[in-house]
């Protein structure tokens, strides 16, 4: 599934092509994806100017005066701005037609994506309980330390809880914990304030580096310009179980933590 850097890469690529454009029509080749497509996409969005393209967690929001289209890429979805006359391929489910003879087209083979609606001045229920953005000022080591007190769950599971912080998925949690020298097995409540300060710094650094390099392309995901992400070439632990640790050379451990495959170095991470 695309994680935060992939979604942010998508937002940054789409924003110059969408901001200031007016949606003239919505073409729905399916009326449902993971959930039914919001009726407002067809009834309210046409005729509206896109004021801003934002990201919240792994959702993209196209803001207009009458509300926001809320898009999620699901497992393998993608969004591209292409000429309006381009014939649709299989799994091209949604077109938002723009006023410059181009369309924003959503491609979603597995149909786990979504196209929902957020009314002005409200927060969609899917966004209401989310934690802070990891690249925001609200996300600090002190915040993690305070929230973790009394938590027995493994710190990797704690980081992947979207109510704690959004967008730190399996890949980036593993990489940040390795960089901070913290084993993913340690209970979240047994990590010091100082180590959480380092961990928060490493989460930010890892995510920012991945965004710069277009994310970590896995399975079907590609960015709107058709390019793949290159951060996968710099992964220290994720997907490298049994291979030598890049720091000490010992074989990396692999196991399940919170039902997710996890890789770590038992020597470098304590």
């Amino acid at each position: 599934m695309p994680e935060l850097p992939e979604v942010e890469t998508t937002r940054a690529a789409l924003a110059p092509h969408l901001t200031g454009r007016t949606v003239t029509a919505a073409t729905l080749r399916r009326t449902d994806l993971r959930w039914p497509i919001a009726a407002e996409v067809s009834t309210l969005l046409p005729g509206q100017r896109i004021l801003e393209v934002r990201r919240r967690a792994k959702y993209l929001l196209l803001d207009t005066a009458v509300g926001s289209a809320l898009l999620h890429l699901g497992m393998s979805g993608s969004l591209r701005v292409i000429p309006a006359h381009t014939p649709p391929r299989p799994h091209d489910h949604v077109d938002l037609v723009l006023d410059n003879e181009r369309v924003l087209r959503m491609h979603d083979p597995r149909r786990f994506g979504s196209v929902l609606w957020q009314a002005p001045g409200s927060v969609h229920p899917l966004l209401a309980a989310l934690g802070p953005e990891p690249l925001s000022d609200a996300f600090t080591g002190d915040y993690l330390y305070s929230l973790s007190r009394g938590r027995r769950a493994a710190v990797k599971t704690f980081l992947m809880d979207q109510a704690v912080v959004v967008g730190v998925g399996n890949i980036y949690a593993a990489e940040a914990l390795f960089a901070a020298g913290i084993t993913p097995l340690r209970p979240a409540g047994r990590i010091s304030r100082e180590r959480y300060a380092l961990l928060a710094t490493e989460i930010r650094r890892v995510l920012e580096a991945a965004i710069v390099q277009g994310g970590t392309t896995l399975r079907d995901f590609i960015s709107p310009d058709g390019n793949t992400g290159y951060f996968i070439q710099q992964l220290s632990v994720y997907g490298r179980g049994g291979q030598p640790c890049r720091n000490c050379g010992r074989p990396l451990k692999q196991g399940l933590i919170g039902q997710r495959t996890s890789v770590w170095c038992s020597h470098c991470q304590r």
Side-chain angles (χ1 to χ4, degrees), residues 156-186:
K156 184 163 180 279
T157 302
F158 173 69
L159 291 178
M160 292 177 63
D161 182 346
Q162 297 296 291
V164 173
V165 58
V166 300
V168 184
N170 198 17
I171 299 170
Y172 302 106
E175 293 299 307
L177 285 165
F178 176 78
I182 299 172
T183 174
L185 298 166
R186 183 173 293 280

Side-chain angles (χ1 to χ4, degrees), residues 154 156-157 160 170 185 255-262:
K156 184 163 180 279
T157 302
M160 292 177 63
N170 198 17
L185 298 166
L256 289 178
I257 301 175
Q259 305 305 311
R260 302 298 298 273
T261 299
S262 302

Side-chain angles (χ1 to χ4, degrees), residues 36-118:
I37 294 174
E40 292 90 342
V41 172
S42 296
T43 61
L44 294 183
L45 186 57
Q48 296 299 316
R49 181 171 173 264
I50 298 173
L51 304 175
E52 187 178 0
V53 181
R54 294 186 292 127
R55 179 189 55 77
R56 178 68 171 115
K58 298 179 186 179
Y59 293 88
L60 291 174
L61 292 92
L62 309 184
D63 292 338
T64 75
V66 299
S68 302
L70 189 66
L71 311 178
H72 195 287
L73 297 175
M75 296 290 290
S76 58
S78 62
L79 292 164
R80 304 221 182 145
V81 176
I82 56 177
H85 57 75
T86 306
R89 302 168 297 164
H91 314 302
D92 284 349
H93 301 309
V94 178
D95 280 359
L96 298 183
V97 184
L98 305 174
D99 60 354
N100 60 348
E101 299 185 353
R102 299 180 75 81
V103 300
L104 173 64
R105 179 164 290 173
M106 185 174 190
H107 179 80
D108 187 5
R110 302 186 192 182
R111 301 199 303 276
F112 281 111
S114 59
V115 183
L116 305 171
W117 189 259
Q118 179 171 280

Side-chain angles (χ1 to χ4, degrees), residues 173-183 194-203 205-206 268-270:
E175 293 299 307
L177 285 165
F178 176 78
I182 299 172
T183 174
E194 292 74 21
R195 298 190 85 191
Y196 268 125
L198 176 59
L199 180 57
T201 297
E202 290 299 336
I203 288 171
R205 182 191 63 79
V206 166
C268 297
Q269 295 174 256
R270 302 301 178 104

